[in-house]
Amino acid sequence: MRFTRLFGRTLRTDPAEAETPSHRLLLKAGMIYPFASGVYAYTPLAVRSLHKIEAIIREEMSAAGAQEVKLPALQPLDLWQQTGRAEAFGPILFRLRDRRERDMVLAPTHEEVITLLVRAFVRSYRDLPISLYQIQTKFRDEPRPRGGLIRVREFEMKDAYSFDADEEGLEASYQAMVRAYRNIFDRCGVPAVMVEADSGAIGGKDSHEFILPTPVGEDTILLCRACGYAANAERARSRKPPVPKPDPLPLEEVHTPGIKTIEDLAGYLGIPRHQTLKAVFYNADGRIVFVAIRGDLQVNEVKLKRVLKATDLRLATDAEVAQAGLVAGSASPIGVKGIPVVADDSILMGGNFVVGANRPHYHLRNANYTRDFHADTIADIALAEGGHGCPRCGTPLHAERGIEVGHVFKLGTFFSERLGAFYLDREGQQKPIIMGCYGIGLGRLLSAVIEKNHNEAGIIFPSSVAPFQVCLVGLNLDDPQVAQQADALYRALLQAGMETLYDDRLETAGVKFNDADLLGIPVRVVVSPRTLRQGCAEVKGRKALQGEMVPLAEVAEKVRLLLQSL
RNA sequence: CGGGGCGUAGCGCAGUGGCGAGCGCGCCAGGUUUGGGACCUGGAGGUCGCCGGUUCAAACCCGGCCGCCCCGACCA
């Protein structure tokens, strides 16, 4: 491709709206163009990279035994009502109405239709197992798109689904996908780590995310360097910081004027935070719940939601708290009546806690569980944090931010039961098909590639996903001699099967070098009067500081070797 | 949905009531340059986000709305 014919344009100034590196570089390179919040057009450079990613995914899916299908993005709403997911997705779900007034959705994911498709064709255990995948546009009306392609409202996703007759089959399908995912991220230059993930409202079994660690990521993960335990913070267990368990002292009231937060309380009384109990109030599907947790810990709402078996969980409003007869800031589990109390198991560690007195400006010292108060449920509802002990080996965990680039999930029979996808087993018994689902966001993966592979000058694409392998830069092309040699070299590179971007613009060297660096093409070849005096071209890897002079006839071979070594 | 920032040329920005709305970059034409974002000359390019109000006069003041970015909430 000649640069003068390439559709698109690089920017000289950094786009003001972008903060994360991948967002900034995608815009600056002219690879994407915004049309609305979280809605982008992709120019040929981006499309070429996305096609590379797709090709890798298709190869690995195929190797894992999955077959490609294409499912509708436009779907009837009633499918989503049958599984209850219209409700579960809520405002995320894009809805519309057709000319016959039929309610439709733009699909955010495709479990419903794939299940129905499989139901239509699968009758017997002999038809199983089967794995299907597609690369399809998804629509999600996200509350807050961000980071360029990291979180958008319209995006390409590879979604795969496995269908098995039994749990062992599901496990095998799952492991095959996990292997495929490792290969895909490896080949794309994205060192993603696989972490345990929350399985969400569907309540399936195993679920893992593939996370690229980077400070711009939206997720927090906890990792153990000693034993390899790794989990999303939503899911992670931890050994909570141990505290002494003192002999119980008598309960006593203490005046705490204006003290409301744990921080202030601990400071005012000169005690560590772990000697206080925090009270937090939630509204779980409309009922108020009192949650107690040791003062040095935070509530993990995902765990709490699971414990409560709630579908909708949020912090209670001040009005709801007051109406329940609780005093925010001085609330106490002591003497709570008519409100369910859920306590984190951390209240069993330690004692003589300071708790609210249920009247303003007073707290109680030396509260001890069972002697002084009661909890209806005791469970692990704490957020694991960096520094806590690894749940397996006790080594301190460390926390990191990251981008979720892939997710694998054992769905079980949630969809097959609701949508009637059954098969007949050997004994002629009707059974629900056991499902798994596996997703990779393509644009997000492209962003992750760039987050992990860039420097001040621009993108540094791994050759596997680079839009072009070689950038041939001709300098002083208004000199017919140079133009002739550069054109010849361009033909030679194409002849040798190299994807070549030929910068044939009449621009100065600086402009061309900067664009070559910005676009991140792995190998740069320069032809100029200077190199031609030696009968050479300069060949340089994107990351190299210095190029190498190579005789014109050997350039294609040299480029090939260089690409192999990257 | 809460908090913050911002909407003026393709991009980055200036312009706090008064000539015909500016600067840099980019773009077009001509010339000079030529190995890390060159220079000269001449040009093209604008519903100042939208609607309403105040005023002799509004990019600028007032009200409402819309949009974009960032933080948080949210994210089967």
Side-chain angles (χ1 to χ4, degrees):
Chain A
M1 170 62 71
R2 288 175 178 264
F3 210 127
T4 49
R5 302 312 315 156
L6 177 68
F7 176 72
R9 172 182 297 284
T10 59
L11 304 178
R12 291 213 178 184
T13 45
D14 278 357
E17 68 193 49
E19 300 201 355
T20 62
S22 62
H23 189 194
R24 180 172 56 80
L25 291 169
L26 283 164
L27 286 170
K28 197 175 181 196
M31 295 174 76
I32 60 173
Y33 182 84
F35 278 94
S37 182
V39 178
Y40 288 90
Y42 304 83
T43 66
L45 285 170
V47 168
R48 290 182 71 105
S49 266
L50 288 169
H51 283 168
K52 295 291 179 69
I53 291 172
E54 288 175 22
I56 290 170
I57 288 174
R58 286 195 166 95
E59 276 180 39
E60 295 296 338
M61 284 296 111
S62 183
Q67 301 173 59
E68 186 165 1
V69 295
K70 190 93 165 184
L71 302 166
L74 183 64
Q75 303 178 359
L77 174 64
D78 49 274
L79 299 185
W80 292 77
Q81 289 168 333
Q82 283 178 49
T83 55
R85 294 214 300 172
E87 179 89 350
F89 269 95
I92 302 277
L93 195 62
F94 272 108
R95 299 177 184 227
L96 68 161
R97 196 162 282 171
D98 70 14
R99 65 168 72 208
R100 292 180 188 82
E101 301 288 300
R102 187 176 186 191
D103 287 312
M104 308 291 282
V105 308
L106 294 173
T109 174
H110 285 73
E111 282 81 4
E112 279 79 2
V113 290
I114 194 80
T115 305
L116 290 167
L117 182 67
V118 165
R119 182 179 89 153
F121 290 97
V122 167
R123 301 289 146 78
S124 134
Y125 72 94
R126 293 170 187 273
D127 298 322
L128 299 174
I130 193 101
S131 286
L132 302 173
Y133 76 98
Q134 65 167 345
I135 293 173
Q136 170 67 281
T137 307
K138 309 286 197 235
F139 299 88
R140 296 183 186 179
D141 198 355
E142 295 286 350
R144 184 152 94 81
R146 72 186 105 185
L149 301 184
I150 289 174
R151 187 168 211 84
V152 287
R153 298 194 296 166
E154 174 183 326
F155 59 102
E156 295 299 302
M157 185 181 213
K158 185 287 300 178
D159 46 323
Y161 305 89
S162 64
F163 301 85
D164 283 280
D166 51 36
E167 290 293 334
E168 295 71 48
L170 172 61
E171 181 61 26
S173 298
Y174 193 79
Q175 291 308 328
M177 281 293 169
V178 166
R179 281 193 298 278
Y181 273 40
R182 290 190 192 285
N183 293 341
I184 289 165
F185 298 126
D186 262 8
R187 292 176 63 183
C188 291
V190 171
V193 298
M194 180 167 142
V195 306
E196 293 180 12
D198 181 64
S199 50
I202 294 175
K205 302 172 186 72
D206 291 343
S207 173
H208 292 88
E209 290 170 345
F210 290 80
I211 304 262
L212 172 72
T214 154
V216 305
E218 304 178 287
D219 290 271
T220 301
I221 56 173
L222 290 151
L223 304 168
C224 174
R225 291 196 168 107
C227 75
Y229 176 78
N232 191 303
E234 291 179 346
R235 158 85 180 194
R237 292 163 292 124
S238 69
R239 297 189 195 175
K240 293 156 194 177
V243 299
K245 177 111 185 155
D247 291 333
L249 298 171
L251 205 58
E252 64 180 49
E253 197 169 67
V254 52
H255 185 51
T256 51
I259 303 285
K260 292 200 172 208
T261 67
I262 291 293
E263 204 63 48
D264 292 347
L265 183 64
Y268 182 75
L269 296 175
I271 56 171
R273 284 184 306 156
H274 66 243
Q275 210 173 338
T276 66
L277 285 190
K278 188 186 290 186
V280 193
F281 316 106
Y282 283 92
N283 181 318
D285 298 329
R287 66 197 163 115
I288 299 296
V289 179
F290 188 118
V291 175
I293 189 168
R294 217 173 63 194
D296 58 326
L297 300 171
Q298 291 186 281
V299 177
N300 178 329
E301 295 185 5
V302 173
K303 288 183 182 174
L304 178 61
K305 198 168 171 177
R306 185 180 290 273
V307 166
L308 292 170
K309 296 183 173 63
T311 55
D312 186 37
L313 181 75
R314 59 172 173 79
L315 283 171
T317 63
D318 291 348
E320 288 166 343
V321 171
Q323 194 178 1
L326 298 163
V327 184
S330 285
S332 176
I334 298 179
V336 172
K337 289 195 198 75
I339 299 172
V341 175
V342 179
D344 183 62
D345 53 19
S346 57
I347 67 164
L348 304 176
M349 307 161 68
N352 291 335
F353 293 112
V354 174
V355 303
N358 267 341
R359 62 178 181 124
H361 311 303
Y362 284 91
H363 283 77
L364 297 169
R365 281 186 195 273
N366 304 326
N368 286 281
Y369 180 61
T370 68
R371 187 191 72 179
D372 303 313
F373 63 97
H374 162 80
D376 300 281
T377 309
I378 292 191
D380 170 28
I381 53 167
L383 189 67
E385 297 182 64
H388 289 189
C390 170
R392 285 195 204 144
C393 74
T395 306
L397 293 169
H398 77 276
E400 250 181 281
R401 300 278 285 183
I403 299 172
E404 178 193 345
V405 289
H407 197 159
V408 295
F409 195 155
K410 291 183 185 172
L411 291 173
T413 57
F414 181 94
F415 292 97
S416 48
E417 285 181 22
R418 278 164 184 75
L419 296 169
F422 298 99
Y423 70 97
L424 290 180
D425 70 9
R426 257 169 227 279
E427 280 77 44
Q429 295 294 307
Q430 183 171 278
K431 297 226 173 113
I433 301 174
I434 300 176
M435 294 173 56
C437 71
Y438 316 90
I440 294 178
L442 300 193
R444 185 182 282 187
L445 179 51
L446 176 60
S447 284
V449 168
I450 295 170
E451 287 296 337
K452 193 65 198 174
N453 301 281
H454 72 273
N455 64 10
E456 323 72 54
I459 303 168
I460 306 174
F461 273 118
S463 65
S464 57
V465 297
F468 292 93
Q469 302 300 299
V470 190
C471 186
L472 172 62
V473 176
L475 299 180
N476 303 87
L477 289 174
D478 46 353
D479 176 342
Q481 305 278 339
V482 182
Q484 193 198 331
Q485 293 293 335
D487 286 358
L489 191 50
Y490 177 48
R491 286 193 298 273
L493 287 166
L494 291 179
Q495 194 68 41
M498 310 279 181
E499 294 172 313
T500 306
L501 178 62
Y502 175 22
D503 193 344
D504 59 338
R505 297 175 298 173
L506 296 174
E507 289 286 353
T508 57
V511 171
K512 294 188 172 195
F513 291 158
N514 277 301
D515 275 344
D517 287 349
L518 173 62
L519 299 182
I521 298 169
V523 174
R524 188 185 79 188
V525 176
V526 179
V527 179
S528 72
R530 185 187 294 184
T531 65
L532 289 174
R533 275 197 288 278
Q534 304 170 54
C536 287
E538 182 207 64
V539 178
K540 175 186 165 300
R542 170 65 177 80
K543 279 188 267 194
L545 297 172
Q546 284 284 318
E548 186 183 334
M549 295 299 268
V550 176
L552 289 173
E554 297 165 28
V555 168
E557 186 55 23
K558 176 68 191 174
V559 170
R560 183 197 311 285
L561 291 171
L562 189 51
L563 283 168
Q564 274 171 10
S565 73
L566 290 178

